[in-house]
Amino acid sequence: MNPSVDALRATFGTAIGRALESCGDTIVYVGRDALRDVMAWLRDTPEHTYDYLVDVTAVEYRDRERPLEVVYGLRSLARRADLRVKVELEPQGDLTVDSVVPLWRGADWLEREVYDMFGITFRGHPDLRRILMWETYAEGFPLRKDFPLRGRFSRAEQVRQALAAHPEAHYSMEELSIAEAYEELPADMKERLRRGERGTVPEPE
Amino acid sequence: MSKRTVELELATPGLDARGEPLRVPLGVAEPNLDAEHMLINIGPQHPATHGVLRLVVELDGETVVQVIPHLGYLHSGFEKLGEYRHYNQIIPLTDRTDYLSPMANNVGFALAAEKLMGITITPRCTVLRVIACEMSRIISHMVWLGTTSIDLGAFTPFLWAFQERERIYNLQEMWTGARLTTSVTRVGGLMADVPDDFVAGLRHFTRTFPKTLSEIDRVLTRNAVWVGRTQGVGVLTAGEAINHSLSGPMLRASGVAYDVRKDKPYLDYETYDFDVVVGEHGDVYDRYLVRLEECSQSNRILQQALDRLPDGPVNIADPRVILPPKSRAMNDMEAMIYHFKQVMEGVKAPVGEAYVGIENPKGELGTYLVSDGTAKPVRWRIRPPSFINLSALPRMAAGHLLSDLIAINASVDIVMGEVDR
């Protein structure tokens, strides 16, 4: 077991959940509210120095009772040590977790991909929008277990939507505001732009 | 920014009453365009974006203000598909992620599945997998070198590099029957042992390949145009590279000596004698030097692997994991049952999860497998090195010229099959 787990428990107490080992890797569960503090502590404490974020991803189990997990792979480059940090989220509840982009710029696209594929919102992410699917994709979140392998819409419906889409919808709001193409936007995108839906950081509750 | 900048500056609609364009009257000063930014679109069908990458670039004159990459044109949902397939059925999907180094991807997936199932592979299989990984590194770096030199206006190295790549492809074809979709590994072993004249062919390659490398080195490394286009372009410091989670040659060019083969060894890499190539400045030129030198280090590893290649089986002797030979399956009841169970039910993995990172040509390819005890993974996650390396592109390109953006984008060494998956 990785010694960082005991140090975490000593510092954060009940915010640290269970810890286990699987195939030689240490996994530690962290409460959702303490995540940002725990990550900053792991990165900056001299004897731990997990300075490298390997990966951010999520796991949904086939067992519907089990919560969704957001998985962070951390590595200390100097000590050659790995630690896997997990946050559990109830699938029916609020799928929101603090973003770690302020700590690691590399988390930017990784968190966008988790949002795109699982619908998990990262609070404090500077630019949280879909990355692999297009911005107007309406079928949901593909890597969730309730998402059918062939997609929610029939092939005919997908073709119909693709043909009906406004070509300008392939640009992001940010780009359109640079290009002064606001007047040519479809009405719903105008509405979203007016609300300032993109590029703003939601206030923490 | 606006297509009617001049007309707006002159406060006219740009057309006269008959719809003819207005002429700018003499004596009117040139409009001040300092605050005007232009938005241009590069790709997704553009040779310099190395695949179906689309970059929307905001330009101030010729200087890049910001780059907004758009991905997903090649998204195939591999990770979703993997949740519906047996472990061995996923291996053909890994060919198609980073399709410039398919064999290394096969190895990465097989290692993760074996870690999950607690399988130890045979000595001959270990060495053959090292050969597969290093051959992949050479062909991937050769494609990178060729395409990047074309992007920057040098045509000759492209031909040399692709010629060398062709020789490795012939060897891959000899081994697996396929040039690109190799699917060479199986959980617990390999699809096939290497044919008889493979070793001699690869030995001939390792003897003759350094000559091409030194020719490329001679043509490019001190070439004034090459140096001028690459030095000081797209600089990332060591701290920035770590903070952006970069890996592979991108990380090492910034001066961070992290190589998975040395620091978290797999496939007995700690027993090979090779150097980790580290850059100093973190610019495009250093990335070129790192990749060029990595090719000759890979060549060294290939020679050592050929020297030590042991005899023996390539597959482990476990009939629950490895399919029995066809002749036995047809004549022996027990072998037939194992054959049936493997084909119909698949190989079951115990409950748990495993992450294996391997040093792919592009960076650290991670495979994260979560199993709930069935024959199909709950989650198969690829940590895509070129996806994460590409995410630093907006940071690197800001403030450079548009032509430098092409050089920086090339230096990331992306392959869109892996970025989009």
Side-chain angles (χ1 to χ4, degrees):
Chain A
M1 183 77 72
N2 191 319
S4 299
V5 176
D6 291 330
L8 274 175
R9 263 193 226 293
T11 314
F12 290 94
T14 52
I16 308 298
R18 62 190 192 279
L20 53 109
E21 210 164 310
S22 180
C23 301
D25 309 329
T26 302
I27 304 158
V28 58
Y29 287 80
V30 173
R32 180 216 313 230
D33 300 326
L35 177 77
R36 181 84 67 80
D37 295 336
V38 169
M39 291 301 215
W41 187 84
L42 281 172
R43 190 188 68 160
D44 298 328
T45 313
E47 59 267 32
H48 301 290
T49 57
Y50 290 96
D51 49 354
Y52 187 79
L53 180 75
V54 182
D55 202 3
V56 179
T57 184
V59 179
E60 187 181 13
Y61 290 88
R62 295 200 180 99
D63 180 0
R64 291 283 164 89
E65 303 294 307
R66 287 190 69 168
L68 256 81
E69 291 173 349
V70 186
V71 185
Y72 298 86
L74 300 184
R75 176 174 298 154
S76 165
L77 288 181
R79 298 189 300 117
R80 318 296 190 214
D82 280 8
L83 182 67
R84 198 173 301 148
V85 176
K86 287 190 176 183
V87 176
E88 289 183 325
L89 301 172
E90 285 304 322
Q92 309 308 331
D94 174 26
L95 293 181
T96 308
V97 69
D98 279 329
S99 167
V100 295
V101 174
L103 299 173
W104 291 283
R105 290 296 306 168
D108 185 346
W109 284 18
L110 293 167
E111 286 183 350
R112 273 177 70 186
E113 192 190 334
V114 173
Y115 164 72
D116 190 2
M117 293 291 147
F118 288 88
I120 294 167
T121 310
F122 290 88
R123 197 189 296 126
H125 191 288
D127 183 22
L128 194 64
R129 60 192 155 98
R130 287 187 179 272
I131 185 162
L132 294 180
M133 313 308 281
W134 52 102
E135 216 180 332
T136 52
Y137 184 71
E139 290 185 54
F141 302 105
L143 277 178
R144 296 292 293 272
K145 287 287 187 261
D146 58 3
F147 188 94
L149 182 59
R150 310 199 105 200
R152 283 228 167 76
F153 298 159
S154 68
R155 185 53 58 90
E157 172 64 17
Q158 288 176 3
V159 170
R160 195 194 65 73
Q161 288 202 356
L163 292 177
H166 193 286
E168 293 287 347
H170 290 279
Y171 287 88
S172 75
M173 298 292 201
E174 197 174 354
E175 292 152 11
L176 289 165
S177 58
I178 298 166
E180 288 181 344
Y182 179 76
E183 287 309 317
E184 294 162 30
L185 291 181
D188 59 322
M189 286 185 79
K190 266 188 208 171
E191 179 55 34
R192 286 176 54 199
L193 194 60
R194 198 174 299 125
R195 284 203 307 268
E197 201 171 283
R198 273 241 316 105
T200 55
V201 180
E203 287 301 315
E205 290 88 43
Chain B
M1 193 148 133
S2 163
K3 47 194 170 201
R4 302 190 306 275
T5 311
V6 176
E7 290 81 357
L8 287 174
E9 187 68 24
L10 297 172
T12 72
L15 299 174
D16 64 15
R18 287 172 303 168
E20 297 290 326
L22 270 183
R23 298 220 170 182
V24 178
L26 288 175
V28 172
E30 285 272 314
N32 181 7
L33 299 178
D34 285 350
E36 298 285 294
H37 287 186
M38 184 169 30
L39 192 74
I40 65 162
N41 178 77
I42 307 176
Q45 309 289 343
H46 192 287
T49 56
H50 294 233
V52 281
L53 171 66
R54 183 168 141 237
L55 300 172
V56 177
V57 189
E58 184 185 353
L59 288 176
D60 178 6
E62 215 180 333
T63 310
V64 175
V65 178
Q66 65 166 341
V67 185
I68 306 171
H70 288 254
L71 323 171
Y73 292 93
L74 217 52
H75 180 60
S76 327
F78 285 144
E79 291 174 6
K80 181 83 176 170
L81 284 171
E83 294 171 8
Y84 293 80
R85 276 161 174 68
H86 299 157
Y87 288 94
N88 275 326
Q89 289 173 334
I90 293 176
I91 287 172
L93 297 179
T94 63
D95 290 337
R96 289 149 175 85
T97 56
D98 178 357
Y99 44 76
L100 296 179
S101 58
M103 280 188 164
N105 303 336
N106 301 154
V107 172
F109 180 82
L111 285 176
E114 283 151 10
K115 185 175 177 187
L116 189 62
M117 298 177 190
I119 294 171
T120 313
I121 53 173
T122 63
R124 184 174 173 85
C125 177
T126 311
V127 178
L128 285 177
R129 283 187 182 179
V130 168
I131 291 177
C133 284
E134 297 309 319
M135 279 173 27
S136 300
R137 194 177 323 279
I138 289 177
I139 52 176
S140 175
H141 283 355
M142 283 293 116
V143 172
W144 175 82
L145 218 143
T147 50
T148 304
S149 61
I150 283 220
D151 281 350
L152 300 184
F155 191 74
T156 314
F158 169 80
L159 298 174
W160 294 343
F162 268 60
Q163 223 161 17
E164 293 302 322
R165 172 176 176 262
E166 195 62 23
R167 291 165 62 196
I168 294 254
Y169 263 178
N170 288 338
L171 289 166
Q172 287 192 352
E173 190 179 6
M174 193 193 276
W175 185 357
T176 67
R179 296 161 69 78
L180 196 149
T181 52
T182 52
S183 303
V184 70
T185 59
R186 293 288 179 273
V187 177
L190 293 173
M191 175 207 84
D193 202 342
V194 290
D196 289 340
D197 37 0
F198 177 86
V199 172
L202 189 56
R203 235 182 238 295
H204 176 69
F205 174 82
T206 57
R207 270 199 301 271
T208 46
F209 177 55
K211 181 165 178 287
T212 312
L213 277 183
S214 65
E215 280 169 351
I216 293 173
D217 179 56
R218 213 171 143 181
V219 161
L220 289 181
T221 306
R222 275 171 291 282
N223 180 320
V225 178
W226 183 262
V227 169
R229 288 291 306 272
T230 55
Q231 274 188 355
V233 171
V235 178
L236 279 181
T237 64
E240 285 169 336
I242 292 172
N243 199 252
H244 275 96
S245 295
L246 302 189
S247 54
M250 289 282 287
L251 181 64
R252 289 192 285 277
S254 293
V256 184
Y258 190 84
D259 187 318
V260 188
R261 293 174 293 174
K262 284 276 190 207
D263 295 310
K264 294 185 82 68
Y266 53 98
L267 295 174
D268 301 336
Y269 263 112
E270 68 274 22
T271 59
Y272 292 86
D273 181 22
F274 68 100
D275 300 324
V276 174
V277 191
V278 180
E280 197 178 342
H281 306 98
D283 56 3
V284 178
Y285 185 71
D286 276 20
R287 288 172 202 141
Y288 152 74
L289 289 181
V290 166
R291 291 203 176 93
L292 191 69
E293 182 55 29
E294 268 188 13
C295 285
S296 48
Q297 295 300 328
S298 287
N299 203 47
R300 274 175 76 190
I301 298 174
L302 279 178
Q303 284 167 342
Q304 293 167 45
L306 286 174
D307 288 341
R308 68 164 73 169
L309 183 63
D311 286 330
V314 292
N315 290 332
I316 58 166
D318 187 343
R320 289 169 305 172
V321 179
I322 293 292
L323 277 178
K326 197 72 181 170
S327 59
R328 280 197 61 216
M330 298 305 250
N331 294 305
D332 176 5
M333 191 65 201
E334 195 188 337
M336 198 183 107
I337 291 170
Y338 279 126
H339 186 283
F340 179 81
K341 278 177 78 78
Q342 266 190 54
V343 173
M344 299 307 290
E345 293 176 2
V347 187
K348 289 198 175 65
V351 180
E353 53 181 70
Y355 174 88
V356 172
I358 70 164
E359 187 66 38
N360 241 31
K362 312 277 186 295
E364 179 181 342
L365 173 83
T367 308
Y368 176 58
L369 286 169
V370 183
S371 164
D372 61 352
T374 57
K376 296 169 184 173
V378 171
R379 177 92 170 92
W380 164 42
R381 157 79 177 159
I382 312 161
R383 181 209 189 262
S386 45
F387 175 80
I388 299 173
N389 288 351
L390 182 65
S391 72
L393 177 71
R395 165 79 190 72
M396 285 189 285
H400 282 295
L401 295 180
L402 180 60
S403 56
D404 292 336
L405 171 66
I406 302 301
I408 295 167
N409 182 42
S411 79
V412 179
D413 192 12
I414 52 167
V415 49
M416 292 312 284
E418 183 182 75
V419 172
D420 293 343
R421 282 156 292 140

